[in-house]
Amino acid sequence: ARSLGMDVEWLPNGGLKTILGPRNLTKVFEGRKGRRMWFNTIVGMHGKEISSATLADGTEIPENVVKRCGEIIEEESIQFKWQKGDVLFLDNYALLHGRRPSLPPRRVLVATTK
C-alpha cells in the first residue's frame, strides 16, 4: 500500500484501512493523447461505512453530486449481448466496467497486463 502512495491504519477489529488522497477526480494517463479521464470511485463508494467519496476536508460528497455522476455513467453506458465464445479486451484506465448484475451460471476469466 505504501509503495502505491497510501497511508495505512490498523483498525481495532484487525481490519486495515487504506487512505489514498486527497487526489484529483481526473487524471491524464500516458498514451491517451493528453485526455483527462475520470478516475474515482465516487459512485460505488458513496454512503459506505469507510467511503472514498469524500471531499479534501473529509466530509462526504453531497448526494446530489453523486447522483448526477451516476446518471452520467448511465447515459454513457453501452450494453451488448454476449454470445458463446465472445472475448472482450478493454483498457482498464479508459473504461468503467462490470456494473451490471448477471444471472448464473456466470464464468469470468480475467488476465491483466501492462
Side-chain angles (χ1 to χ4, degrees):
R2 288 217 167 99
S3 70
L4 295 172
M6 295 182 211
D7 289 328
V8 296
E9 177 184 324
W10 287 103
L11 302 175
N13 67 0
L16 181 70
K17 177 180 179 180
T18 57
I19 304 160
L20 179 63
R23 58 184 195 177
N24 295 329
L25 292 177
T26 61
K27 184 174 180 177
V28 175
F29 291 95
E30 299 232 1
R32 303 290 180 271
K33 301 178 184 176
R35 285 181 53 213
R36 285 199 155 287
M37 300 196 187
W38 183 27
F39 197 71
N40 192 277
T41 58
I42 182 174
V43 174
M45 292 303 293
H46 186 264
K48 302 284 194 278
E49 182 179 344
I50 299 176
S51 175
S52 63
T54 59
L55 299 171
D57 67 1
T59 59
E60 193 160 70
I61 294 171
E63 189 169 347
N64 66 315
V65 173
V66 176
K67 182 179 180 213
R68 180 62 187 132
C69 290
E71 290 168 355
I72 292 168
I73 290 170
E74 287 301 316
E75 291 165 8
E76 297 296 321
S77 292
I78 61 169
Q79 291 192 68
F80 52 92
K81 184 173 171 57
W82 284 91
Q83 296 180 22
K84 186 174 184 171
D86 281 352
V87 175
L88 175 66
F89 291 90
L90 59 88
D91 182 337
N92 204 38
Y93 284 135
L95 303 169
L96 180 66
H97 57 86
R99 302 297 181 246
R100 296 284 186 261
S102 64
L103 300 173
R106 180 178 184 218
R107 186 171 175 209
V108 178
L109 304 173
V110 177
T112 59
T113 184
K114 284 188 173 185

